Amino acid sequence: MSIGIDKLNFYVPQFYVDMAELAKARDVDPNKFLIGIGQTEMAVSPVNQDIVAMGANAAKDILTEEEKEQITMVIVATESAIDSAKAAAVQIHNLLGIQPFARCFEMKEACYAATPAIHLAKDYLQSRPKEKVLVISSDTARYGIQSGGEPTQGAGAIAMLISHEPRILELADDSVAFTEDVYDFWRPTGHKYPLVAGALSKDAYIHSFQESWNEYAKRYDRSLSDFTSLCFHVPFTKMGRKALNSILTDEIDDETKERLTEGYDNATYYNRYVGNVYTGSLYLSLISLLENHHLDGGDTLGLFSYGSGSVGEFFSAKVVDGYEEMLDTKAHQTMLNQRREVSVEEYETFFKRFDNLELDHDTDLAGAQKGIFYLDKIEDDIRYYSTLN
Ligand code: COA
């Protein structure tokens, strides 16, 4: 039985800040951000692109009316929840017009939650060959103006349609998750921004990766030469590279080293221009690999998911022949290329308004794509969404 990702799409807001400009404004050598952290541009959120709007925007163009009838579960993975009780999946289900007899809920474990969501979907679908599950990861990565994490912010959403006979990626039956109680990054209830132990968060990520990979390799008798490419959770592009380099030891042959390194470059191309999208970072990297790297049907990909706190998981998937036809590479490149650069000053204004939920549609919808969903107003603490005509 083959189950996996049948459709895959992402959405990012239409504003970004140049990392060299941000570095200058912070009196930092630009190469620290461009090379040391490995980020070139960073998505900036308009106030009206919350996790519901972005999540619906990621999914809206990939679902047919027939699929909306077949979807019986909608899962939203996020760590930017806008409500402690009501799940964003319920609002997204409504905006997308999915048939009503569906389970809708939110999942949380920092940047990891989309991975248990797709595995849950896979298990759920085993006995339901005609149904489909929509998994969405949607986040606004925010650390605060002039904070240590500021250069690793970003925003965006990924939508994945999980089904039988998938046309992009077949999920294999192998995976190893590793859990460790560590305070590397966390956001106590009521805090606007996460608390982060920067150096510890890098070490905890690498440790989790090594534990997951080593156990996976042992349990399933796999080595790096079995993988065409590896995709990582990418809070910033240098992070996954460090993890990858940590296992490219002297015993690994040069061909494997070169292949995995080249794959990593292409798998982080989009991330470099978007920044951190928390739960979606691994899956943005997957899209980047699929759209910017040569792959063949049957190729095996290794995926490492990580959520601070922490849970890591290594699992594998097989590329389906003809997967290219299921991707809209041109639309993705246009979406990225047509974004508008904002100055550091403008970014700071967006950031403060986002914190205070100060909607300003004239500014926030400038240059936005027609047809997108946006948060229109909040009345009596209820969020109302509209579509841009
Ligand atoms: N040219 C090139 N590289 C430079 C540089 C320069 N002029 N100046 C510094 N660097 C390098 C550093 O050597 C370092 O590289 P290394 O990690 O390979 O040693 C890198 O830039 C970052 O420098 P560092 O001093 O660690 O930066 P920082 O103290 O500002 O913190 C983060 C960086 C990522 C820890 C911080 O932005 C953060 O906390 N982010 C949020 C948490 C996060 O994403 N964690 C990841 C796991 S989920």
Side-chain angles (χ1 to χ4, degrees):
M1 193 182 311
S2 120
I3 298 177
I5 301 174
D6 187 54
K7 291 187 172 179
L8 185 59
N9 194 35
F10 74 95
Y11 172 82
V12 293
Q14 77 275 27
F15 303 114
Y16 74 90
V17 70
D18 185 308
M19 294 302 284
E21 294 302 315
L22 183 63
K24 276 187 235 157
R26 300 294 177 251
D27 209 11
V28 167
D29 178 353
N31 282 338
K32 175 174 175 185
F33 292 175
L34 300 172
I35 300 167
I37 285 173
Q39 292 301 128
T40 305
E41 293 171 359
M42 183 172 90
V44 172
S45 272
V47 185
N48 60 18
Q49 286 302 310
D50 63 6
I51 56 161
V52 170
M54 288 196 297
N57 287 331
K60 73 181 175 61
D61 293 331
I62 58 169
L63 301 179
T64 64
E65 290 309 311
E66 192 187 359
E67 285 160 347
K68 290 180 193 177
E69 292 300 313
Q70 294 167 324
I71 292 171
T72 57
M73 189 148 87
V74 180
I75 312 175
V76 170
T78 189
E79 53 179 306
S80 320
I82 54 170
D83 196 295
S84 298
K86 188 177 173 75
V90 173
Q91 289 148 298
I92 291 177
H93 167 274
N94 175 39
L95 291 177
L96 295 173
I98 290 169
Q99 65 81 27
F101 300 101
R103 289 175 176 165
C104 292
F105 54 98
E106 214 166 280
M107 283 174 69
K108 175 182 73 178
E109 172 24 47
C111 302
Y112 167 67
T115 298
I118 63 170
H119 285 115
L120 176 70
K122 176 170 173 272
D123 293 345
Y124 169 85
L125 291 174
Q126 301 275 352
S127 58
R128 296 172 171 88
K130 296 199 172 114
E131 299 181 18
K132 295 178 198 279
V133 176
L134 179 63
V135 173
I136 288 176
S137 57
S138 187
D139 271 300
T140 310
R142 296 161 63 74
Y143 291 90
I145 293 170
Q146 301 204 24
S147 65
E150 185 180 38
T152 62
Q153 299 178 133
I158 318 292
M160 296 181 263
L161 187 66
I162 312 297
S163 77
H164 283 258
E165 307 303 332
R167 287 170 286 179
I168 297 179
L169 218 58
E170 281 177 15
L171 294 166
D173 286 323
D174 55 1
S175 81
V176 169
F178 174 77
T179 292
E180 183 174 41
D181 188 2
V182 51
Y183 273 87
D184 55 340
F185 165 111
W186 68 110
R187 182 152 73 93
T189 307
H191 281 233
K192 269 192 188 128
Y193 314 128
L195 304 173
V196 55
L200 174 63
S201 76
K202 292 195 275 188
D203 292 347
Y205 176 115
I206 291 174
H207 181 240
S208 181
F209 169 64
Q210 291 178 342
E211 290 288 337
S212 311
W213 161 249
N214 289 336
E215 183 64 22
Y216 173 92
K218 194 166 79 189
R219 277 194 208 174
Y220 299 101
D221 193 23
R222 291 291 187 100
S223 71
L224 287 179
S225 57
D226 294 322
F227 293 92
T228 308
S229 280
L230 301 183
C231 286
F232 290 77
H233 166 52
V234 186
F236 50 96
T237 70
K238 181 76 166 291
M239 187 67 252
R241 191 182 299 283
K242 274 171 169 298
L244 173 63
N245 288 344
S246 79
I247 56 166
L248 295 183
T249 51
D250 291 345
E251 300 90 75
I252 309 296
D253 64 90
D254 288 347
E255 194 277 326
T256 300
K257 277 185 186 163
E258 271 168 42
R259 190 181 67 254
L260 296 181
T261 302
E262 193 197 335
Y264 184 81
D265 290 340
N266 292 332
T268 49
Y269 179 73
Y270 288 161
N271 305 71
R272 176 176 278 278
Y273 291 91
V274 173
N276 196 354
V277 292
Y278 284 164
T279 50
S281 296
L282 167 63
Y283 299 96
L284 181 62
S285 174
L286 172 63
I287 301 176
S288 187
L289 181 79
L290 292 168
E291 296 189 353
N292 297 298
H293 193 69
H294 177 80
L295 294 167
D296 292 312
D299 281 352
T300 299
L301 308 183
L303 295 103
F304 175 65
S305 181
Y306 178 75
S308 291
S310 72
V311 185
E313 182 163 345
F314 191 93
F315 60 105
S316 82
K318 260 200 178 14
V319 176
V320 178
D321 208 17
Y323 71 95
E324 308 94 321
E325 286 158 36
M326 298 303 295
L327 298 162
D328 201 344
T329 307
K330 209 164 158 223
H332 292 156
Q333 285 168 353
T334 305
M335 178 169 64
L336 289 173
N337 293 339
Q338 288 187 345
R339 295 179 304 161
R340 179 165 82 78
E341 182 182 343
V342 295
S343 65
V344 173
E345 215 180 348
E346 283 175 289
Y347 139 72
E348 291 181 358
T349 307
F350 272 112
F351 197 94
K352 288 176 193 154
R353 281 201 295 111
F354 194 97
D355 268 347
N356 300 320
L357 282 169
E358 284 169 34
L359 291 161
D360 168 3
H361 292 320
D362 285 345
T363 310
D364 289 341
L365 290 172
Q369 295 165 39
K370 294 272 177 271
I372 60 159
F373 294 106
Y374 64 93
L375 171 64
D376 193 4
K377 59 180 179 181
I378 305 176
E379 272 176 16
D380 297 330
D381 280 319
I382 296 175
R383 292 187 182 220
Y384 295 89
Y385 296 86
S386 294
T387 309
L388 182 63
N389 296 311

